[in-house]
Amino acid sequence: MEAYLELVDGTKYHGQVFGHPAAAAGDLVFNTGMTGYPETFTDPSYTGQIVVLTYPLIGNYGVPAIGLHDNLSFGAESDRAHVRGVVVADYSAQFSHWEANQSLGKWLAEQQVVGLTGIDTRAVTKRLRDHGTLAARIVVNDCPPEFENPDATNLVARVSIDHPTEYPAGPKRVLLIDCGCKSNIIRSLLNRNVTVLRVPWDFDPRHESYDGILVSNGPGDPTVCQATIDHLRTAMNDQKPIFGICLGHQLMALAAGASTYKLKFGHRGQNQPCIEVGSHRCLITAKNHGYVVDETSIPADWESSYFNANDSTNAGIRHKHKPFFSVQFHPEAFPGPCDSGFLFDRFVELL
């Protein structure tokens, strides 16, 4: 079925539909990962977005049985797709992988997510790099949906759980604030013998006993999560460790008194180099965010801990005296890279 991708500036790219044959609209972003599309599409941080995959061949290893098993022990970041649409250069309906359950196209159809193949993704990516993130729509059967701005709504409230859930393991207990939590954050804590209490994004920590707080990743503008920011600010009056990841990093910075701003086209992929302040060690990291902490706004009691080697934007902060730290990248990166997994060990030691 013929269809096209249309950007808000009027640019059109014609291709063919795979997956669910229906129109979609959202922010158009690009991901530079060479593998890991099942993990990408099930990542809640992609809520409201049409994702352009820069790697040309997609679908050749199918998808695992997402949603049919416990996603804490299976190859996905949640039990369903969160993307609005998928744009690729060359979709392969033929797949081969020992863990594959079905083709990517069949799974996207089940998830009611439209895919578009035959697109010059290099040209689309270059346009995004020139103009920044753009609203876009995938038009099928000449029935264009309205352009949308996902950031105009509270996306975190849409993807967070609605009641606390406990994952028992060891004696230490971490309060995981779910702002769109990736499953591998939970796996990473359970593998370190830590009991996890997963709570909604606006949960008040004063109502629960815990040894530390972890603030998860999530989609959208962090400033809409004022309840989370207020609760974190109160929790920082205590000495219990707090660890923030991605959106959680931005929320911790806002609670500390810093500010955030939207990047031109965001950082999304598994190959983002981040430099540790002081040691100059470079970590290759996974990232998926459109907002970033303003380096110049970090309060005096805090300091920068990492920065992105590509554009020098902030990639981490830490408190100078209290056990609080956060990073913009994903130490739980799934399928990888795993350079920064030691940050979970550091957090558990602080507990």
Side-chain angles (χ1 to χ4, degrees), residues 32 129 249 261 263 265-277 280-289 291-293 295 304-317 327-330:
T32 58
R129 289 186 64 88
H249 159 66
Y261 63 91
L263 291 166
F265 45 77
H267 300 151
R268 296 174 178 88
Q270 301 147 350
N271 49 8
Q272 299 285 330
C274 291
I275 307 296
E276 185 175 32
V277 175
H280 303 294
R281 176 170 62 163
C282 179
L283 305 178
I284 303 304
T285 70
K287 283 191 173 186
N288 176 19
H289 64 104
Y291 289 80
V292 71
V293 173
E295 183 88 16
S304 174
S305 55
Y306 292 92
F307 64 90
N308 188 301
N310 288 332
D311 61 5
S312 298
T313 54
N314 178 267
I317 59 173
V327 290
Q328 185 62 76
F329 48 86
H330 291 276

mmCIF file of all heavy atoms in Angstrom, residues 32 129 249 261 263 265-277 280-289 291-293 295 304-317 327-330:
data_model
loop_
_atom_site.group_PDB
_atom_site.id
_atom_site.type_symbol
_atom_site.label_atom_id
_atom_site.label_comp_id
_atom_site.label_asym_id
_atom_site.label_seq_id
_atom_site.Cartn_x
_atom_site.Cartn_y
_atom_site.Cartn_z
ATOM 1 N N THR A 32 19.844 6.234 16.142
ATOM 2 C CA THR A 32 21.051 5.819 15.425
ATOM 3 C C THR A 32 21.511 4.408 15.766
ATOM 4 O O THR A 32 22.597 3.994 15.370
ATOM 5 C CB THR A 32 22.201 6.805 15.715
ATOM 6 O OG1 THR A 32 22.414 6.846 17.139
ATOM 7 C CG2 THR A 32 21.860 8.197 15.214
ATOM 8 N N ARG A 129 18.384 17.152 11.277
ATOM 9 C CA ARG A 129 19.586 17.754 11.857
ATOM 10 C C ARG A 129 19.696 19.227 11.480
ATOM 11 O O ARG A 129 20.272 20.023 12.224
ATOM 12 C CB ARG A 129 20.838 16.995 11.417
ATOM 13 C CG ARG A 129 20.957 15.616 12.046
ATOM 14 C CD ARG A 129 22.286 14.951 11.712
ATOM 15 N NE ARG A 129 23.385 15.720 12.281
ATOM 16 C CZ ARG A 129 23.866 15.560 13.520
ATOM 17 N NH1 ARG A 129 23.315 14.668 14.313
ATOM 18 N NH2 ARG A 129 24.875 16.282 13.957
ATOM 19 N N HIS A 249 16.820 12.110 35.772
ATOM 20 C CA HIS A 249 17.941 13.048 35.930
ATOM 21 C C HIS A 249 17.446 14.489 35.833
ATOM 22 O O HIS A 249 17.798 15.344 36.659
ATOM 23 C CB HIS A 249 18.975 12.743 34.847
ATOM 24 C CG HIS A 249 19.926 13.854 34.539
ATOM 25 N ND1 HIS A 249 20.857 14.316 35.439
ATOM 26 C CD2 HIS A 249 20.076 14.612 33.414
ATOM 27 C CE1 HIS A 249 21.555 15.305 34.887
ATOM 28 N NE2 HIS A 249 21.095 15.500 33.666
ATOM 29 N N TYR A 261 15.979 22.614 29.167
ATOM 30 C CA TYR A 261 15.533 23.174 27.899
ATOM 31 C C TYR A 261 15.465 22.061 26.852
ATOM 32 O O TYR A 261 16.053 20.988 27.037
ATOM 33 C CB TYR A 261 16.460 24.302 27.425
ATOM 34 C CG TYR A 261 17.886 23.881 27.130
ATOM 35 C CD1 TYR A 261 18.279 23.475 25.854
ATOM 36 C CD2 TYR A 261 18.862 23.899 28.133
ATOM 37 C CE1 TYR A 261 19.584 23.107 25.576
ATOM 38 C CE2 TYR A 261 20.167 23.534 27.872
ATOM 39 C CZ TYR A 261 20.531 23.138 26.590
ATOM 40 O OH TYR A 261 21.828 22.757 26.333
ATOM 41 N N LEU A 263 16.272 20.235 23.407
ATOM 42 C CA LEU A 263 17.341 20.151 22.415
ATOM 43 C C LEU A 263 16.792 20.325 21.006
ATOM 44 O O LEU A 263 15.600 20.117 20.758
ATOM 45 C CB LEU A 263 18.046 18.798 22.512
ATOM 46 C CG LEU A 263 18.887 18.549 23.762
ATOM 47 C CD1 LEU A 263 19.227 17.064 23.875
ATOM 48 C CD2 LEU A 263 20.162 19.377 23.724
ATOM 49 N N PHE A 265 17.377 18.492 18.250
ATOM 50 C CA PHE A 265 16.842 17.248 17.706
ATOM 51 C C PHE A 265 17.032 16.064 18.647
ATOM 52 O O PHE A 265 16.785 14.927 18.281
ATOM 53 C CB PHE A 265 17.454 16.924 16.332
ATOM 54 C CG PHE A 265 18.943 17.093 16.241
ATOM 55 C CD1 PHE A 265 19.811 16.166 16.760
ATOM 56 C CD2 PHE A 265 19.470 18.217 15.636
ATOM 57 C CE1 PHE A 265 21.179 16.338 16.675
ATOM 58 C CE2 PHE A 265 20.843 18.401 15.533
ATOM 59 C CZ PHE A 265 21.702 17.454 16.064
ATOM 60 N N GLY A 266 17.451 16.296 19.860
ATOM 61 C CA GLY A 266 17.533 15.231 20.855
ATOM 62 C C GLY A 266 18.665 14.255 20.616
ATOM 63 O O GLY A 266 19.364 14.300 19.604
ATOM 64 N N HIS A 267 18.856 13.378 21.585
ATOM 65 C CA HIS A 267 19.872 12.320 21.509
ATOM 66 C C HIS A 267 19.169 10.986 21.618
ATOM 67 O O HIS A 267 18.561 10.686 22.646
ATOM 68 C CB HIS A 267 20.886 12.452 22.661
ATOM 69 C CG HIS A 267 21.623 13.744 22.667
ATOM 70 N ND1 HIS A 267 22.099 14.318 23.821
ATOM 71 C CD2 HIS A 267 21.980 14.587 21.666
ATOM 72 C CE1 HIS A 267 22.722 15.458 23.539
ATOM 73 N NE2 HIS A 267 22.652 15.636 22.238
ATOM 74 N N ARG A 268 19.240 10.188 20.559
ATOM 75 C CA ARG A 268 18.571 8.886 20.570
ATOM 76 C C ARG A 268 19.426 7.868 19.840
ATOM 77 O O ARG A 268 19.684 8.008 18.659
ATOM 78 C CB ARG A 268 17.178 8.994 19.932
ATOM 79 C CG ARG A 268 16.245 9.902 20.714
ATOM 80 C CD ARG A 268 14.926 10.133 20.022
ATOM 81 N NE ARG A 268 14.064 10.971 20.835
ATOM 82 C CZ ARG A 268 14.061 12.314 20.791
ATOM 83 N NH1 ARG A 268 14.876 12.945 19.947
ATOM 84 N NH2 ARG A 268 13.264 12.999 21.575
ATOM 85 N N GLY A 269 19.867 6.853 20.564
ATOM 86 C CA GLY A 269 20.688 5.819 19.959
ATOM 87 C C GLY A 269 21.531 5.125 21.003
ATOM 88 O O GLY A 269 21.457 5.428 22.197
ATOM 89 N N GLN A 270 22.368 4.186 20.546
ATOM 90 C CA GLN A 270 23.173 3.371 21.455
ATOM 91 C C GLN A 270 24.661 3.700 21.341
ATOM 92 O O GLN A 270 25.504 2.903 21.750
ATOM 93 C CB GLN A 270 22.946 1.893 21.131
ATOM 94 C CG GLN A 270 21.501 1.468 21.267
ATOM 95 C CD GLN A 270 21.122 0.399 20.274
ATOM 96 O OE1 GLN A 270 21.876 0.100 19.364
ATOM 97 N NE2 GLN A 270 19.942 -0.171 20.440
ATOM 98 N N ASN A 271 24.980 4.879 20.803
ATOM 99 C CA ASN A 271 26.389 5.189 20.529
ATOM 100 C C ASN A 271 26.733 6.616 20.935
ATOM 101 O O ASN A 271 27.496 7.289 20.241
ATOM 102 C CB ASN A 271 26.680 4.982 19.039
ATOM 103 C CG ASN A 271 25.634 5.676 18.154
ATOM 104 O OD1 ASN A 271 24.793 6.431 18.642
ATOM 105 N ND2 ASN A 271 25.707 5.427 16.867
ATOM 106 N N GLN A 272 26.194 7.074 22.063
ATOM 107 C CA GLN A 272 26.419 8.450 22.507
ATOM 108 C C GLN A 272 27.610 8.496 23.468
ATOM 109 O O GLN A 272 27.550 7.913 24.559
ATOM 110 C CB GLN A 272 25.167 8.979 23.212
ATOM 111 C CG GLN A 272 23.925 9.013 22.342
ATOM 112 C CD GLN A 272 23.951 10.140 21.331
ATOM 113 O OE1 GLN A 272 24.530 11.182 21.568
ATOM 114 N NE2 GLN A 272 23.307 9.927 20.192
ATOM 115 N N PRO A 273 28.711 9.165 23.115
ATOM 116 C CA PRO A 273 29.889 9.209 23.989
ATOM 117 C C PRO A 273 29.719 10.248 25.100
ATOM 118 O O PRO A 273 29.428 11.407 24.834
ATOM 119 C CB PRO A 273 31.013 9.610 23.030
ATOM 120 C CG PRO A 273 30.326 10.428 21.971
ATOM 121 C CD PRO A 273 28.932 9.857 21.825
ATOM 122 N N CYS A 274 29.906 9.825 26.347
ATOM 123 C CA CYS A 274 29.806 10.727 27.494
ATOM 124 C C CYS A 274 31.108 10.688 28.286
ATOM 125 O O CYS A 274 31.626 9.604 28.590
ATOM 126 C CB CYS A 274 28.625 10.338 28.387
ATOM 127 S SG CYS A 274 27.014 10.651 27.626
ATOM 128 N N ILE A 275 31.610 11.858 28.619
ATOM 129 C CA ILE A 275 32.894 11.990 29.321
ATOM 130 C C ILE A 275 32.639 12.231 30.804
ATOM 131 O O ILE A 275 31.840 13.095 31.176
ATOM 132 C CB ILE A 275 33.722 13.161 28.758
ATOM 133 C CG1 ILE A 275 33.877 13.020 27.230
ATOM 134 C CG2 ILE A 275 35.090 13.229 29.435
ATOM 135 C CD1 ILE A 275 34.636 11.815 26.783
ATOM 136 N N GLU A 276 33.331 11.476 31.659
ATOM 137 C CA GLU A 276 33.234 11.666 33.101
ATOM 138 C C GLU A 276 34.108 12.836 33.522
ATOM 139 O O GLU A 276 35.308 12.876 33.194
ATOM 140 C CB GLU A 276 33.653 10.401 33.840
ATOM 141 C CG GLU A 276 33.463 10.491 35.341
ATOM 142 C CD GLU A 276 33.777 9.189 36.041
ATOM 143 O OE1 GLU A 276 34.656 8.443 35.567
ATOM 144 O OE2 GLU A 276 33.140 8.905 37.076
ATOM 145 N N VAL A 277 33.513 13.787 34.231
ATOM 146 C CA VAL A 277 34.257 14.963 34.684
ATOM 147 C C VAL A 277 35.297 14.524 35.710
ATOM 148 O O VAL A 277 34.997 13.786 36.644
ATOM 149 C CB VAL A 277 33.300 16.011 35.296
ATOM 150 C CG1 VAL A 277 34.086 17.184 35.870
ATOM 151 C CG2 VAL A 277 32.302 16.495 34.249
ATOM 152 N N HIS A 280 38.048 12.007 32.905
ATOM 153 C CA HIS A 280 38.069 12.095 31.441
ATOM 154 C C HIS A 280 37.802 10.744 30.779
ATOM 155 O O HIS A 280 38.043 10.588 29.584
ATOM 156 C CB HIS A 280 39.390 12.682 30.934
ATOM 157 C CG HIS A 280 39.699 14.031 31.494
ATOM 158 N ND1 HIS A 280 38.950 15.144 31.222
ATOM 159 C CD2 HIS A 280 40.680 14.434 32.340
ATOM 160 C CE1 HIS A 280 39.446 16.187 31.853
ATOM 161 N NE2 HIS A 280 40.491 15.791 32.553
ATOM 162 N N ARG A 281 37.295 9.782 31.531
ATOM 163 C CA ARG A 281 36.951 8.482 30.945
ATOM 164 C C ARG A 281 35.728 8.646 30.057
ATOM 165 O O ARG A 281 34.756 9.306 30.435
ATOM 166 C CB ARG A 281 36.660 7.469 32.054
ATOM 167 C CG ARG A 281 36.197 6.116 31.506
ATOM 168 C CD ARG A 281 36.140 5.044 32.561
ATOM 169 N NE ARG A 281 35.191 5.328 33.622
ATOM 170 C CZ ARG A 281 34.738 4.407 34.464
ATOM 171 N NH1 ARG A 281 35.160 3.166 34.371
ATOM 172 N NH2 ARG A 281 33.875 4.740 35.413
ATOM 173 N N CYS A 282 35.748 8.020 28.892
ATOM 174 C CA CYS A 282 34.618 8.095 27.958
ATOM 175 C C CYS A 282 33.792 6.818 28.040
ATOM 176 O O CYS A 282 34.330 5.710 27.909
ATOM 177 C CB CYS A 282 35.117 8.307 26.530
ATOM 178 S SG CYS A 282 33.785 8.394 25.318
ATOM 179 N N LEU A 283 32.499 6.980 28.270
ATOM 180 C CA LEU A 283 31.563 5.866 28.251
ATOM 181 C C LEU A 283 30.734 5.942 26.975
ATOM 182 O O LEU A 283 30.259 7.016 26.613
ATOM 183 C CB LEU A 283 30.627 5.923 29.454
ATOM 184 C CG LEU A 283 31.251 5.994 30.847
ATOM 185 C CD1 LEU A 283 30.147 6.085 31.901
ATOM 186 C CD2 LEU A 283 32.137 4.792 31.114
ATOM 187 N N ILE A 284 30.573 4.816 26.290
ATOM 188 C CA ILE A 284 29.651 4.764 25.160
ATOM 189 C C ILE A 284 28.296 4.373 25.734
ATOM 190 O O ILE A 284 28.150 3.336 26.385
ATOM 191 C CB ILE A 284 30.109 3.760 24.098
ATOM 192 C CG1 ILE A 284 31.513 4.114 23.613
ATOM 193 C CG2 ILE A 284 29.139 3.764 22.915
ATOM 194 C CD1 ILE A 284 31.653 5.522 23.080
ATOM 195 N N THR A 285 27.301 5.228 25.506
ATOM 196 C CA THR A 285 26.033 5.085 26.212
ATOM 197 C C THR A 285 24.845 5.053 25.257
ATOM 198 O O THR A 285 24.932 5.475 24.108
ATOM 199 C CB THR A 285 25.831 6.262 27.189
ATOM 200 O OG1 THR A 285 25.594 7.464 26.443
ATOM 201 C CG2 THR A 285 27.042 6.455 28.080
ATOM 202 N N ALA A 286 23.726 4.568 25.791
ATOM 203 C CA ALA A 286 22.434 4.664 25.107
ATOM 204 C C ALA A 286 21.696 5.873 25.649
ATOM 205 O O ALA A 286 21.716 6.133 26.852
ATOM 206 C CB ALA A 286 21.616 3.397 25.338
ATOM 207 N N LYS A 287 21.047 6.622 24.747
ATOM 208 C CA LYS A 287 20.278 7.795 25.156
ATOM 209 C C LYS A 287 18.952 7.834 24.401
ATOM 210 O O LYS A 287 18.847 7.328 23.289
ATOM 211 C CB LYS A 287 21.046 9.093 24.873
ATOM 212 C CG LYS A 287 22.154 9.409 25.877
ATOM 213 C CD LYS A 287 22.651 10.821 25.659
ATOM 214 C CE LYS A 287 23.636 11.261 26.724
ATOM 215 N NZ LYS A 287 24.001 12.685 26.585
ATOM 216 N N ASN A 288 17.975 8.459 25.041
ATOM 217 C CA ASN A 288 16.690 8.701 24.381
ATOM 218 C C ASN A 288 16.014 9.860 25.095
ATOM 219 O O ASN A 288 15.238 9.663 26.019
ATOM 220 C CB ASN A 288 15.806 7.451 24.413
ATOM 221 C CG ASN A 288 14.431 7.719 23.821
ATOM 222 O OD1 ASN A 288 14.241 8.694 23.092
ATOM 223 N ND2 ASN A 288 13.469 6.875 24.138
ATOM 224 N N HIS A 289 16.330 11.079 24.691
ATOM 225 C CA HIS A 289 15.742 12.239 25.364
ATOM 226 C C HIS A 289 15.729 13.438 24.426
ATOM 227 O O HIS A 289 16.595 13.595 23.569
ATOM 228 C CB HIS A 289 16.525 12.579 26.638
ATOM 229 C CG HIS A 289 17.947 12.998 26.400
ATOM 230 N ND1 HIS A 289 18.357 14.310 26.482
ATOM 231 C CD2 HIS A 289 19.053 12.289 26.066
ATOM 232 C CE1 HIS A 289 19.663 14.381 26.223
ATOM 233 N NE2 HIS A 289 20.093 13.172 25.970
ATOM 234 N N TYR A 291 15.017 16.611 25.986
ATOM 235 C CA TYR A 291 15.311 17.740 26.878
ATOM 236 C C TYR A 291 16.622 17.478 27.598
ATOM 237 O O TYR A 291 17.069 16.326 27.716
ATOM 238 C CB TYR A 291 14.184 17.926 27.897
ATOM 239 C CG TYR A 291 12.913 18.467 27.287
ATOM 240 C CD1 TYR A 291 12.043 17.623 26.598
ATOM 241 C CD2 TYR A 291 12.575 19.811 27.383
ATOM 242 C CE1 TYR A 291 10.879 18.109 26.023
ATOM 243 C CE2 TYR A 291 11.410 20.311 26.809
ATOM 244 C CZ TYR A 291 10.570 19.452 26.132
ATOM 245 O OH TYR A 291 9.425 19.933 25.559
ATOM 246 N N VAL A 292 17.228 18.547 28.118
ATOM 247 C CA VAL A 292 18.526 18.419 28.783
ATOM 248 C C VAL A 292 18.611 19.450 29.902
ATOM 249 O O VAL A 292 17.930 20.487 29.878
ATOM 250 C CB VAL A 292 19.664 18.603 27.756
ATOM 251 C CG1 VAL A 292 19.775 20.051 27.302
ATOM 252 C CG2 VAL A 292 20.989 18.113 28.304
ATOM 253 N N VAL A 293 19.454 19.177 30.895
ATOM 254 C CA VAL A 293 19.683 20.093 32.009
ATOM 255 C C VAL A 293 20.602 21.228 31.557
ATOM 256 O O VAL A 293 21.621 20.988 30.887
ATOM 257 C CB VAL A 293 20.303 19.351 33.208
ATOM 258 C CG1 VAL A 293 20.700 20.330 34.318
ATOM 259 C CG2 VAL A 293 19.333 18.295 33.744
ATOM 260 N N GLU A 295 23.449 23.415 31.962
ATOM 261 C CA GLU A 295 24.700 23.322 32.736
ATOM 262 C C GLU A 295 24.925 24.563 33.596
ATOM 263 O O GLU A 295 25.423 24.471 34.727
ATOM 264 C CB GLU A 295 25.879 23.124 31.772
ATOM 265 C CG GLU A 295 27.226 22.951 32.429
ATOM 266 C CD GLU A 295 27.535 21.511 32.780
ATOM 267 O OE1 GLU A 295 26.861 20.612 32.248
ATOM 268 O OE2 GLU A 295 28.448 21.287 33.590
ATOM 269 N N SER A 304 28.478 19.075 37.937
ATOM 270 C CA SER A 304 28.343 18.232 36.751
ATOM 271 C C SER A 304 29.240 17.010 36.900
ATOM 272 O O SER A 304 30.369 17.104 37.377
ATOM 273 C CB SER A 304 28.732 19.024 35.502
ATOM 274 O OG SER A 304 28.736 18.191 34.348
ATOM 275 N N SER A 305 28.732 15.839 36.488
ATOM 276 C CA SER A 305 29.523 14.607 36.584
ATOM 277 C C SER A 305 29.850 14.010 35.216
ATOM 278 O O SER A 305 30.854 13.310 35.068
ATOM 279 C CB SER A 305 28.780 13.570 37.430
ATOM 280 O OG SER A 305 27.481 13.334 36.924
ATOM 281 N N TYR A 306 29.008 14.281 34.206
ATOM 282 C CA TYR A 306 29.253 13.787 32.849
ATOM 283 C C TYR A 306 28.786 14.844 31.846
ATOM 284 O O TYR A 306 27.896 15.645 32.145
ATOM 285 C CB TYR A 306 28.489 12.484 32.568
ATOM 286 C CG TYR A 306 28.968 11.284 33.344
ATOM 287 C CD1 TYR A 306 28.392 10.951 34.565
ATOM 288 C CD2 TYR A 306 29.994 10.479 32.855
ATOM 289 C CE1 TYR A 306 28.831 9.851 35.284
ATOM 290 C CE2 TYR A 306 30.438 9.379 33.561
ATOM 291 C CZ TYR A 306 29.862 9.066 34.776
ATOM 292 O OH TYR A 306 30.299 7.973 35.489
ATOM 293 N N PHE A 307 29.395 14.817 30.663
ATOM 294 C CA PHE A 307 28.905 15.649 29.574
ATOM 295 C C PHE A 307 29.005 14.884 28.266
ATOM 296 O O PHE A 307 29.844 13.983 28.109
ATOM 297 C CB PHE A 307 29.657 16.984 29.492
ATOM 298 C CG PHE A 307 31.125 16.872 29.158
ATOM 299 C CD1 PHE A 307 31.573 16.894 27.840
ATOM 300 C CD2 PHE A 307 32.073 16.751 30.168
ATOM 301 C CE1 PHE A 307 32.920 16.787 27.526
ATOM 302 C CE2 PHE A 307 33.429 16.648 29.867
ATOM 303 C CZ PHE A 307 33.853 16.661 28.542
ATOM 304 N N ASN A 308 28.136 15.217 27.328
ATOM 305 C CA ASN A 308 28.110 14.567 26.018
ATOM 306 C C ASN A 308 29.279 15.068 25.185
ATOM 307 O O ASN A 308 29.451 16.278 25.001
ATOM 308 C CB ASN A 308 26.778 14.873 25.318
ATOM 309 C CG ASN A 308 26.598 14.091 24.041
ATOM 310 O OD1 ASN A 308 27.393 14.183 23.116
ATOM 311 N ND2 ASN A 308 25.526 13.315 23.978
ATOM 312 N N ALA A 309 30.095 14.138 24.668
ATOM 313 C CA ALA A 309 31.295 14.519 23.922
ATOM 314 C C ALA A 309 30.968 15.122 22.560
ATOM 315 O O ALA A 309 31.806 15.806 21.971
ATOM 316 C CB ALA A 309 32.206 13.305 23.745
ATOM 317 N N ASN A 310 29.760 14.882 22.049
ATOM 318 C CA ASN A 310 29.401 15.411 20.732
ATOM 319 C C ASN A 310 29.036 16.888 20.777
ATOM 320 O O ASN A 310 29.440 17.656 19.902
ATOM 321 C CB ASN A 310 28.221 14.624 20.156
ATOM 322 C CG ASN A 310 28.624 13.229 19.711
ATOM 323 O OD1 ASN A 310 29.767 13.002 19.336
ATOM 324 N ND2 ASN A 310 27.695 12.291 19.778
ATOM 325 N N ASP A 311 28.252 17.292 21.774
ATOM 326 C CA ASP A 311 27.783 18.680 21.801
ATOM 327 C C ASP A 311 28.011 19.377 23.147
ATOM 328 O O ASP A 311 27.545 20.496 23.355
ATOM 329 C CB ASP A 311 26.295 18.759 21.429
ATOM 330 C CG ASP A 311 25.403 17.984 22.399
ATOM 331 O OD1 ASP A 311 25.918 17.476 23.413
ATOM 332 O OD2 ASP A 311 24.187 17.894 22.138
ATOM 333 N N SER A 312 28.701 18.691 24.069
ATOM 334 C CA SER A 312 29.077 19.248 25.387
ATOM 335 C C SER A 312 27.880 19.537 26.288
ATOM 336 O O SER A 312 28.022 20.256 27.281
ATOM 337 C CB SER A 312 29.918 20.528 25.216
ATOM 338 O OG SER A 312 31.125 20.244 24.539
ATOM 339 N N THR A 313 26.693 18.995 25.980
ATOM 340 C CA THR A 313 25.549 19.185 26.869
ATOM 341 C C THR A 313 25.716 18.328 28.119
ATOM 342 O O THR A 313 26.439 17.324 28.128
ATOM 343 C CB THR A 313 24.234 18.814 26.174
ATOM 344 O OG1 THR A 313 24.334 17.474 25.649
ATOM 345 C CG2 THR A 313 23.929 19.777 25.033
ATOM 346 N N ASN A 314 25.036 18.719 29.188
ATOM 347 C CA ASN A 314 25.139 18.009 30.453
ATOM 348 C C ASN A 314 24.593 16.591 30.342
ATOM 349 O O ASN A 314 23.554 16.362 29.731
ATOM 350 C CB ASN A 314 24.382 18.772 31.548
ATOM 351 C CG ASN A 314 24.431 18.049 32.869
ATOM 352 O OD1 ASN A 314 23.552 17.274 33.198
ATOM 353 N ND2 ASN A 314 25.484 18.281 33.640
ATOM 354 N N ALA A 315 25.294 15.638 30.960
ATOM 355 C CA ALA A 315 24.851 14.243 30.935
ATOM 356 C C ALA A 315 24.855 13.628 32.328
ATOM 357 O O ALA A 315 24.726 12.411 32.459
ATOM 358 C CB ALA A 315 25.725 13.421 29.998
ATOM 359 N N GLY A 316 25.008 14.446 33.374
ATOM 360 C CA GLY A 316 24.968 13.903 34.726
ATOM 361 C C GLY A 316 25.278 14.966 35.762
ATOM 362 O O GLY A 316 26.015 15.919 35.482
ATOM 363 N N ILE A 317 24.693 14.816 36.951
ATOM 364 C CA ILE A 317 25.004 15.706 38.067
ATOM 365 C C ILE A 317 25.135 14.872 39.342
ATOM 366 O O ILE A 317 24.673 13.720 39.400
ATOM 367 C CB ILE A 317 23.925 16.796 38.283
ATOM 368 C CG1 ILE A 317 22.552 16.164 38.560
ATOM 369 C CG2 ILE A 317 23.863 17.737 37.106
ATOM 370 C CD1 ILE A 317 21.478 17.165 38.946
ATOM 371 N N VAL A 327 22.072 10.594 35.929
ATOM 372 C CA VAL A 327 22.711 10.606 34.611
ATOM 373 C C VAL A 327 21.650 10.714 33.528
ATOM 374 O O VAL A 327 20.522 10.214 33.681
ATOM 375 C CB VAL A 327 23.570 9.346 34.377
ATOM 376 C CG1 VAL A 327 24.813 9.367 35.261
ATOM 377 C CG2 VAL A 327 22.779 8.070 34.598
ATOM 378 N N GLN A 328 22.016 11.363 32.425
ATOM 379 C CA GLN A 328 21.097 11.543 31.307
ATOM 380 C C GLN A 328 21.016 10.290 30.441
ATOM 381 O O GLN A 328 20.033 10.064 29.745
ATOM 382 C CB GLN A 328 21.536 12.736 30.462
ATOM 383 C CG GLN A 328 20.598 13.099 29.348
ATOM 384 C CD GLN A 328 19.232 13.513 29.853
ATOM 385 O OE1 GLN A 328 19.041 14.611 30.359
ATOM 386 N NE2 GLN A 328 18.254 12.619 29.723
ATOM 387 N N PHE A 329 22.028 9.447 30.504
ATOM 388 C CA PHE A 329 22.066 8.232 29.682
ATOM 389 C C PHE A 329 21.480 7.052 30.462
ATOM 390 O O PHE A 329 21.015 7.198 31.598
ATOM 391 C CB PHE A 329 23.491 7.944 29.220
ATOM 392 C CG PHE A 329 24.529 8.013 30.311
ATOM 393 C CD1 PHE A 329 24.806 6.924 31.122
ATOM 394 C CD2 PHE A 329 25.238 9.188 30.529
ATOM 395 C CE1 PHE A 329 25.760 6.988 32.121
ATOM 396 C CE2 PHE A 329 26.210 9.273 31.522
ATOM 397 C CZ PHE A 329 26.460 8.172 32.321
ATOM 398 N N HIS A 330 21.533 5.861 29.829
ATOM 399 C CA HIS A 330 20.878 4.678 30.394
ATOM 400 C C HIS A 330 21.896 3.626 30.828
ATOM 401 O O HIS A 330 22.387 2.857 30.000
ATOM 402 C CB HIS A 330 19.923 4.064 29.374
ATOM 403 C CG HIS A 330 18.716 4.905 29.102
ATOM 404 N ND1 HIS A 330 17.594 4.864 29.909
ATOM 405 C CD2 HIS A 330 18.469 5.827 28.147
ATOM 406 C CE1 HIS A 330 16.693 5.717 29.446
ATOM 407 N NE2 HIS A 330 17.205 6.319 28.385
#
